[in-house]
Structure formats: structure tokens, C-alpha cells
Amino acid sequence: MKTNVCDLIRDLVDYAARKGLIDDLDRVFCRNRLMEEMQVYDYTPSSPDAKEYPLEEILGALCDYAIENGIIPDRGVTGRDLFDTKLMGILTPRPSEVVREFNRLYAISPEAATDYFYRLSCDSDYIRTYRVKKDLKWVYSGKYGDIDITINLSKPEKDPKAIAAAKTQKQTGYPKCAICRENEGYSGSMTQAARQSHRIIPMTMAGQDWYLQYSPYVYYNEHCIALSASHTPMKIDRAAFVKILDFVTLFPHYILGSNADLPIVGGSILTHDHMQGGRYTFAMAKAEIETELHFDGFDNVSAGIVKWPMSVIRLRSADKNSLVELADKILIAWRGYSDPDAFIFAETDGEPHNTITPIARRRGEDYELDLVLRNNITTEEHPMGVYHPHADKHNIKKENIGLIEVMGLAVLPSRLKSEMATLADALVAGKDLEQDEVTAKHAAWVAAFADQYKFTAENVEEILHFEIGKTFEGVLEDAGVYKCTPEGRAAFMRFVETV
């Protein structure tokens, strides 16, 4: 791309104006701010007319110019992200402006408000849509319905330059974590993401101050995060049920769920209370009730066990308070429940094991609340967790099964893209998989299904996609505390009868 820096500044300012990030009255001011960052003191574009280049190209060329002219050091993708986010922060509306516009549109409709906020998050490059598009996605149709499979490529891996620079980076305790409200406008570092273009919306849940933001990696449509204003640990309790139902009251077109509050079955951040939601219908939401349930004293709540590989009790009612009371009753019962015959232990040596992953959504005027029973016990045979992906599936997925996976969307590691490409070539060529370090880790997995197929260049990718999906289905079954068998369902009912 062209390297005339004034042309790049002109085009970036024009992009911001077209997207509504700035007003026409802001053009000169923003141009001057960008010139300051680019250390340009004479504005001499080749033409006054802007070119509509993709944002990724404009920012990439500005980063190239900054490195070539010694404005920033060459520290790989991380360093470039820090710099181009700083540039976009100049063009992103101030937090008060964003909140004002959000509230104005919310008075029209919740959808209008979130449409604006999501579009802003994309246009400001907080959500790098050009990276998200790189994710590999397909649908696996199995015995529990259509499950979404994603190989995550949108989160850039650290390159050697970034790793080396991070070693010399002074560590600070500000912000305390990656989702604290103090990230809004933060400059970032080689170990913390830049957030100058990041904005959050204040809201109230269960009488407490919370904020709404979007995930920069959007694993699904309008993937949002609700975060507590205070840096307090994750906790599943009665108040958590109130919060998620308050959220879907505020935003009835969104869902919201919470990771569990214990290691292994929880999310990657347990130190800051937060939840995740968005505008998407997951496979679990489409799953039907397998066994109807009745809870005494809750005649206005319909309930049932969901036909899903994990252990899910679904509650539905127009009365939020009844849902909260029943959900809390189930949670309290589960926290203290043990069934040695089903290898369910509430605690061992004083360490608690039972918790719940809750998910809420609206069904017309009704509220629907899914309670996924979780247990994080470990054994010598399963040191990472009995109800965790078992070792025979670690070549595909060995990370924790969090909220997103629970609902039926596999977020698989980026390494699988190159590994599956190498594996595909080896299968078509008929090579011995054990002879290559990359394919050897998949050899036992392939051996379980290889006899069912004749691999060709035309079908090998489709076969691997199917088998990855089937394996993830098995991962969810591993994570279920009660198996989808007559014995497993009988054990499930033993717990239900204690509520």
C-alpha cells in the first residue's frame, strides 16, 4: 500500500467520519492528533480526496511507517496492536458520548441501543472483524442437534519479539485483570492489551453496578460480557440468578450465562465476577425437554431435564421471583449432594466440588433458566478432572469446558488448523502417522475411525471436520456429571428427588 503518511492520515480521518465515530467538525482536530502521533508537522496529502481503503490496510501501513521511521520499535503483532489502538482511540467517541447515545437509543428500543454499541465496537477496531473472519467454523450434526465448531484464529499468538519484550516489561497491578472497568481507555503494554478504543455501558443488576461490553474475539454473534464494577471473585448464588434474569429483562433479545465459580469447571478468569451473553441461539437452547419435572410449591414453573450431553435442568416461568427461588433451592441442594454410586461427591478433604453453570434467555414473555450441574473432582486416572475432557480427546480439546462450550459451541485451539492440514496430507498419502511429531499425537484418534473411510484429497477435510465434531460431542459427554444412559438418568432423578 502507499506510504505517503499524510494520505494515510487523510483516509483514516475520512473512515472515522463515514462510520460516525467523529463529526465533520472534528476532522481537523483528529487529523492534527494523528499527525502528532505520527510525528508529522506538515500536512501535504497527494490529493484532498480520500480513498476508501479497508481499515486493516490503512492501519497496517501506518504501523509500517511508524516502525520504518523509528516512531515505535518493531515488536511484532503485539507492538503494532498497541500502536494502532492508540490511533483509533483518538477517533473513538468519549465514554460519556457513547453512554448518552446508547441511553437515547435504548429509550427507542433495547435492540437499537445494542445495534449502535456493537457497530461502534467494530468500527472503532476494538473488535478486529478482519481477524474474526479468519476463524474456521463449521456445524456438526450429531445426536444432540447441530453443534458449532470453531478453531479460534482471531486472537494473535505471541511472536518471539513480543515474548522477548514482555520479559523486560515492568509488571503492575493496574488494571487488576483483563475485564476490570479500568481497562476503558488503558494504553496497554506488552503483557496487557491496549484498550483506548474500548467502551463500556453502565447498568444495574441485582441492585449492583455492572457494565456491558463486547468481547474483542466475538466467538458468536454480538458476544457480550457483563462485568461487575468491583473486582470481586466469581460466585454462583441466589444473587447470580437475579443478575442474569435482570439482564435479560433489560435486553430481552440477548441471552446471558455465567461460568461456574470453581476451578476446572469454571472460566479462565475466576477473580472478577462476570457473565457472557449475546444475540445467538446455541444448540443447547434448541434441545428439547427429555423428562418433565415437578417441584412442590412451584406450580407456576415448568421444569424438565434437557436432552443434552451435560446435565441440565430447565426452568421456565413468567415469574422471575419464582425462578430465582427454585434455582436457589436446586443450587443449595446440589452444593451439598453426594452420591458415591454415581461418583458424585460434594466435597473431599474440605474442598467443595459441586456448582452450577446458569444460562438465561427469554421465550416471549416467559423467562427460561438452564441450570447445568457441574463437579470438579479429580482422580489419579483423571488428574485434570473426572468431568473434564478425557485424555483420549486431548489432541482435540484439553482446555476447561466453560460456558460457551457448555451451550454447544466448541472453541478449539488455533494449533489445529496447521495440524489438521498436515494430518490431511498424510492420510491422503497413506503415510505412517507415528513417524511425524505433528501427526503422531493424532494417530490413536485416527485409528478409531480410519477403517470407515477411504481418504482422498476431495473428502479428507470433510471427514476430519466430522470426526472433530464427533469428538467434541464426546467431550461434552465427558463433562456431564450424569451420562445419557438409563443408569445415568436414574442417578439424575435421585438428585432431583432431594430438592
Side-chain angles (χ1 to χ4, degrees):
M1 190 179 175
K2 61 181 183 227
T3 56
N4 182 324
V5 68
C6 291
D7 285 356
L8 296 173
I9 292 171
R10 175 202 64 199
D11 294 348
L12 186 56
V13 170
D14 189 71
Y15 166 87
R18 288 199 321 273
K19 295 297 185 179
L21 297 175
I22 64 171
D23 189 274
D24 277 340
L25 293 173
D26 299 322
R27 282 177 178 265
V28 172
F29 174 84
C30 290
R31 175 206 302 161
N32 288 335
R33 289 296 320 282
L34 292 171
M35 288 174 63
E36 177 186 355
E37 293 300 332
M38 300 305 299
Q39 299 180 15
V40 174
Y41 305 102
D42 188 12
Y43 184 63
T44 55
S46 61
S47 164
D49 299 323
K51 307 294 184 183
E52 292 189 19
Y53 289 105
L55 179 61
E56 179 184 16
E57 292 186 17
I58 299 172
L59 292 175
L62 285 167
C63 286
D64 289 342
Y65 177 91
I67 293 170
E68 291 165 5
N69 289 272
I71 299 169
I72 61 172
D74 184 0
R75 297 184 293 184
V77 174
T78 303
R80 295 170 73 92
D81 284 358
L82 290 171
F83 186 69
D84 67 20
T85 303
K86 186 178 185 180
L87 300 181
M88 290 307 298
I90 293 170
L91 304 170
T92 304
R94 292 293 180 100
S96 58
E97 297 175 62
V98 174
V99 172
R100 238 185 340 262
E101 181 65 5
F102 183 92
N103 290 340
R104 184 188 74 80
L105 291 169
Y106 187 89
I108 300 171
S109 76
E111 292 96 330
T114 56
D115 285 351
Y116 156 74
F117 189 39
Y118 184 71
R119 185 172 61 253
L120 172 75
S121 298
C122 293
D123 291 342
S124 68
D125 209 39
Y126 166 70
I127 297 173
R128 296 175 185 263
T129 54
Y130 43 86
R131 286 185 184 164
V132 174
K133 289 176 182 177
K134 296 177 182 179
D135 289 349
L136 299 182
K137 299 181 179 181
W138 68 92
V139 175
Y140 166 77
S141 297
K143 53 188 174 182
Y144 303 105
D146 292 341
I147 293 176
D148 296 303
I149 309 296
T150 299
I151 295 179
N152 175 35
L153 303 173
S154 57
K155 189 173 183 178
E157 296 182 6
K158 298 283 187 181
D159 60 25
K161 293 176 183 176
I163 293 170
K167 289 180 180 178
T168 62
Q169 178 74 48
K170 182 180 179 181
Q171 298 300 308
T172 71
Y174 181 89
K176 292 181 180 177
C177 76
I179 57 174
C180 278
R181 60 173 294 195
E182 288 80 10
N183 282 280
E184 187 178 36
Y186 185 61
S187 62
S189 68
M190 294 305 293
T191 57
Q192 293 171 282
R195 289 290 182 253
Q196 289 101 323
S197 59
H198 172 48
R199 299 292 179 265
I200 57 178
I201 302 294
M203 58 183 176
T204 302
M205 291 163 52
Q208 299 176 10
D209 291 336
W210 279 59
Y211 291 90
L212 171 69
Q213 69 170 67
Y214 288 103
S215 165
Y217 308 115
V218 284
Y219 293 134
Y220 50 87
N221 188 46
E222 296 181 40
H223 178 184
C224 68
I225 298 171
L227 58 116
S228 173
S230 60
H231 183 77
T232 54
M234 296 281 294
K235 187 174 184 181
I236 301 299
D237 56 8
R238 185 183 186 280
F241 302 135
V242 176
K243 290 166 190 169
I244 60 176
L245 292 172
D246 279 356
F247 182 90
V248 296
T249 301
L250 288 169
F251 305 105
H253 57 300
Y254 275 8
I255 64 163
L256 191 73
S258 175
N259 270 305
D261 53 356
L262 294 178
I264 297 176
V265 295
S268 57
I269 299 177
L270 293 175
T271 56
H272 193 127
D273 200 4
H274 70 287
M275 301 177 183
Q276 297 181 75
R279 198 171 192 167
Y280 193 70
T281 303
F282 288 86
M284 192 176 81
K286 301 174 188 176
E288 298 180 351
I289 294 295
E290 180 179 79
T291 304
E292 291 189 359
L293 304 174
H294 176 77
F295 295 95
D296 292 340
F298 295 92
D299 293 338
N300 62 342
V301 179
S302 63
I305 294 174
V306 180
K307 185 180 179 182
W308 190 245
M310 300 192 70
S311 307
V312 186
I313 296 175
R314 176 168 294 164
L315 310 178
R316 180 169 174 173
S317 178
D319 185 349
K320 281 200 299 183
N321 292 332
S322 293
L323 283 181
V324 170
E325 294 303 323
L326 180 51
D328 189 42
K329 188 176 182 181
I330 293 170
L331 173 64
I332 291 170
W334 179 244
R335 290 280 195 194
Y337 182 77
S338 293
D339 182 353
D341 290 341
F343 207 76
I344 303 295
F345 296 93
E347 59 88 21
T348 55
D349 299 324
E351 179 186 351
H353 296 305
N354 290 348
T355 186
I356 279 177
T357 297
I359 302 107
R361 64 186 72 88
R362 297 295 293 273
R363 299 287 192 185
E365 295 300 312
D366 284 354
Y367 295 87
E368 192 168 84
L369 185 60
D370 285 349
L371 305 176
V372 187
L373 307 183
R374 311 298 301 274
N375 181 287
N376 74 345
I377 195 168
T378 61
T379 63
E380 288 187 9
E381 182 184 1
H382 300 293
M384 298 180 72
V386 173
Y387 306 108
H388 179 88
H390 290 176
D392 63 325
K393 304 175 188 70
H394 283 183
N395 64 308
I396 301 299
K397 176 75 174 179
K398 66 177 179 180
E399 298 79 12
N400 292 353
I401 301 304
L403 171 68
I404 296 172
E405 286 91 356
V406 165
M407 295 189 291
L409 191 158
V411 181
L412 302 179
S414 59
R415 63 175 172 80
L416 285 180
K417 179 185 179 182
S418 60
E419 289 179 8
M420 288 301 116
T422 302
L423 181 60
D425 290 342
L427 289 171
V428 172
K431 294 181 180 178
D432 181 355
L433 302 184
E434 297 285 2
Q435 298 305 308
D436 182 274
E437 184 179 352
V438 172
T439 58
K441 70 172 73 172
H442 300 290
W445 177 68
V446 170
F449 60 78
D451 290 345
Q452 304 170 35
Y453 305 104
K454 181 176 180 179
F455 299 103
T456 67
E458 290 71 31
N459 70 12
V460 66
E461 181 178 275
E462 182 181 356
I463 292 169
L464 291 176
H465 280 187
F466 178 83
E467 293 297 336
I468 288 173
K470 187 176 180 181
T471 300
F472 181 71
E473 186 177 68
V475 161
L476 293 180
E477 290 175 334
D478 288 346
V481 294
Y482 294 115
K483 305 311 174 189
C484 298
T485 62
E487 297 79 12
R489 286 323 193 204
F492 200 161
M493 288 304 297
R494 287 200 299 272
F495 163 67
V496 170
E497 290 165 2
T498 70
V499 177

